[in-house]
């Protein structure tokens, strides 16, 4: 299996867990502006390619507090991500892996750990401003 994670590799925000967690920190108007510049190209058949569908997904992300890349960037790879609250710029952290290991049960364990880590990062950023 080819690995997606490569230092310096770029991906569209709408197709990654971290990207969607970052977009969820923006207003819908700001998201529309980002998308108007970058578009919504499909990396896989699971990629969101409609702005209204993306905004609905972002709304769900805001409500539940985390995003999921459900094979939207790379087939066979799932990612759970959370935003870092209060960071100077929209920031997020994530965990990714093969769908065979990164399943819903994994997400139920990982998301609270990601949220705790994001809070700790936010506190550290606040202390060092």
């Amino acid at each position: 299996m080819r690995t997606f994670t490569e230092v310096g590799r770029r991906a569209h925000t709408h197709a990654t867990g971290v990207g969607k967690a970052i977009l969820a920190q923006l207003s819908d108007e700001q998201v529309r502006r980002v998308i108007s510049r970058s578009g919504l190209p499909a990396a896989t058949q699971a990629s969101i390619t409609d702005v209204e569908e993306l905004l609905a997904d972002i709304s769900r992300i805001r409500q539940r507090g985390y995003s999921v890349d459900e094979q939207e960037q790379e087939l066979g790879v799932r990612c759970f991500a959370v935003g870092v609250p209060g960071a100077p710029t929209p920031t997020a952290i994530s965990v990714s892996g093969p769908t065979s290991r990164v399943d819903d049960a994994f997400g139920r364990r990982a998301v609270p750990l990601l949220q705790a880590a994001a809070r700790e990062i936010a506190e550290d950023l606040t202390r060092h401003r």
Side-chain angles (χ1 to χ4, degrees):
M1 171 187 265
R2 182 175 64 87
T3 303
F4 166 73
T5 305
E6 298 169 18
V7 174
R9 184 168 178 189
R10 294 179 184 226
H12 286 275
T13 54
H14 73 283
T16 69
V18 165
K20 292 191 297 180
I22 288 172
L23 290 175
Q25 296 173 58
L26 306 176
S27 69
D28 285 358
E29 181 180 314
Q30 290 171 306
V31 172
R32 287 180 187 277
R33 282 198 301 265
V34 168
I35 298 310
S36 73
R37 290 190 302 271
S38 62
L40 293 171
T44 72
Q45 64 268 28
S47 300
I48 296 172
T49 58
D50 175 80
V51 69
E52 296 306 320
E53 184 181 347
L54 177 63
L55 290 172
D57 191 34
I58 288 171
S59 177
R60 287 187 296 275
I61 293 164
R62 291 174 183 142
Q63 289 173 2
R64 71 179 176 234
Y66 66 92
S67 67
V68 181
D69 163 1
E70 189 64 62
Q71 303 185 70
E72 297 163 57
Q73 177 57 43
E74 184 172 358
L75 293 177
V77 177
R78 183 174 291 119
C79 174
F80 292 93
V82 300
V84 175
T89 60
T91 305
I93 59 174
S94 70
V95 61
S96 302
T99 55
S100 60
R101 291 195 320 247
V102 180
D103 57 11
D104 288 338
F106 179 95
R108 286 190 296 276
R109 292 187 312 272
V111 167
L113 296 171
L114 285 168
Q115 290 168 329
R119 285 190 300 273
E120 191 172 320
I121 292 166
E123 289 169 10
D124 194 45
L125 290 171
T126 300
R127 277 192 298 272
H128 292 39
R129 280 192 190 168

